[in-house]
Amino acid sequence: MDHQADTNRTDLMTITRFVLNEQSKYPESRGDFTILLNTIVLGCKFVCSAVGKAGLAKLIGLAGETNVQGEEQKKLDVLSNEVFVKALISSGRTSVLVSEEVGEAIFVPRSHRGKYIVVFDPLDGSSNIDCGVSIGTIFGIYMVKNEAKVSLEDAMQPGNQMLAAGYCMYGSSCTFVLSTGNGVNGFTLDPSLGEFILTHPNIKIPRKGNIYSVNEGNAKNWDEPTTKYVQKCKFPQDGSPPKSLRYIGSMVADIHRTLLYGGIFMYPADIKSPHGKLRILYEVFPMSYLMEQAGGQAFTGKRRALDLVPRELHERSPIFLGSYDDIEQIKELYASSKADGA
């Protein structure tokens, strides 16, 4: 037995230690935010375990209900939602919860109420569960405007008011990516310790990438700027090599690859979905927040994504996320299209 190796393993930067270190930078902090993040981490560990045992426990397959988006719910969707809702309420640190799986906002009972709002997609990419593709949990955290008078408006804040965001990807490994406004850090679950260990410190997306990620099955319905951009990716006119297409169909997995390798992820508006398909509060905002914190950009086709002001809980938006220079190119195409239209 290698005792020296075991000793070295005790000097690891766990996610709990990392968050406590961040908390120590703010002397006025009472630890509420740390407790909330630890609650989310615990929920992710539970879901990771459930995903790993899904086939054996017969958790794969349809639950027979339909969620607010009109999508058939998988058993794991239902379980994951219950896990996060119950954990977040019992933490005593939240006031309002917004889940992809629930039509209305969840207002925490006064006896358990705290000062934070959590928006989340408990299991993104669940249509991929049956074939073993990576899926994940996405979340964002806001502060309540007035603790004495909590309302739905507290959950409808623009993304630029977000305090923290992250996702947990359940794949070949369980990876937790987090930003609290000071860059982006990635943690990997060590099953033998039951702890998330810092494995990707200070993630920075490359300034320019050679990968584009989009569902090309929708190409016939795209607008002109998106069509032109994808053509440039395939047939560049400047002598550069063409970009590679990589599309998994699970947002967490596609964004994780984009963060690490660079490039662009697109889910544009089209004739079939004129307002886009991804939900603003718990998909667009958290991923845009992470992308900007990592040095990239997030654009809707009209404006910076984090400047959107949601009007409905489950409102959708087009989104372009990725490397700074790649997003600049798509912005130029939209600006040119607008000028031509004028």
Side-chain angles (χ1 to χ4, degrees), residues 115-129:
K115 60 184 179 182
Y116 296 107
I117 298 149
V118 182
V119 294
F120 61 98
D121 184 344
L123 204 62
D124 179 73
S126 53
S127 61
N128 287 316
I129 292 171

Side-chain angles (χ1 to χ4, degrees), residues 11 54 89 91 126 134 171 175-177 225-226 267 297 311 325 336:
D11 191 32
I89 290 175
S91 73
S126 53
S134 295
T175 307
F176 192 96
V177 175
T226 303
Y267 214 116
Q297 292 194 77
R311 293 162 297 179
D325 288 354
S336 173

Side-chain angles (χ1 to χ4, degrees), residues 150-293:
V150 178
S151 71
L152 186 61
E153 292 301 309
D154 287 305
M156 308 288 276
Q157 299 180 50
N160 54 34
Q161 296 298 307
M162 201 167 262
L163 296 180
Y167 60 80
C168 188
M169 184 175 69
Y170 315 112
S172 55
S173 59
C174 183
T175 307
F176 192 96
V177 175
L178 171 70
S179 176
T180 57
N182 295 306
V184 181
N185 291 278
F187 304 80
T188 303
L189 184 65
D190 183 336
S192 65
L193 295 175
E195 286 279 7
F196 280 102
I197 309 300
L198 181 64
T199 51
H200 296 77
N202 196 25
I203 296 171
K204 292 294 181 190
I205 186 170
R207 181 87 183 186
K208 187 177 177 66
N210 59 3
I211 295 172
Y212 72 103
S213 183
V214 65
N215 182 356
E216 290 219 50
N218 295 328
K220 71 173 185 176
N221 297 321
W222 288 343
D223 60 17
E224 187 183 358
T226 303
T227 302
K228 280 185 175 179
Y229 182 80
V230 172
Q231 280 298 104
K232 283 188 174 184
C233 289
K234 294 177 176 180
F235 309 104
Q237 301 297 309
D238 59 1
S240 62
K243 291 183 185 289
S244 298
L245 170 65
R246 299 284 185 271
Y247 185 70
I248 298 166
S250 171
M251 189 186 190
V252 170
D254 279 314
I255 292 296
H256 189 66
R257 183 201 58 247
T258 304
L259 266 178
L260 296 182
Y261 299 161
I264 186 170
F265 169 85
M266 302 180 277
Y267 214 116
D270 57 34
I271 296 168
K272 195 170 62 174
S273 305
H275 301 295
K277 189 158 182 203
L278 297 177
R279 273 69 60 141
I280 293 174
L281 277 178
Y282 40 79
E283 290 175 325
V284 171
F285 278 169
M287 293 309 199
S288 298
Y289 183 91
L290 289 167
M291 200 60 70
E292 287 198 3
Q293 285 290 322

Side-chain angles (χ1 to χ4, degrees), residues 18 33 38 88 100 140 145 152 155 178 191 202 213 229 242 245 278 295 306-308 329 334:
F18 179 87
F33 190 67
N38 281 335
L88 289 166
E100 191 228 11
K145 294 175 182 175
L152 186 61
L178 171 70
N202 196 25
S213 183
Y229 182 80
L245 170 65
L278 297 177
L306 290 179
D307 290 338
L308 281 171
Q329 286 186 5
Y334 269 98

Side-chain angles (χ1 to χ4, degrees), residues 44 47-48 50-51 54 59 67 71 74-81 84 99-101 120-129 134-138 168-170 250 252 279 283:
C44 290
V47 173
C48 179
V51 168
L59 287 168
N67 70 4
E71 301 163 340
K74 299 274 184 170
K75 291 178 184 177
L76 267 176
D77 282 0
V78 179
L79 174 68
S80 302
N81 186 62
F84 281 104
S99 168
E100 191 228 11
E101 301 295 337
F120 61 98
D121 184 344
L123 204 62
D124 179 73
S126 53
S127 61
N128 287 316
I129 292 171
S134 295
I135 53 182
T137 297
I138 309 170
C168 188
M169 184 175 69
Y170 315 112
S250 171
V252 170
R279 273 69 60 141
E283 290 175 325

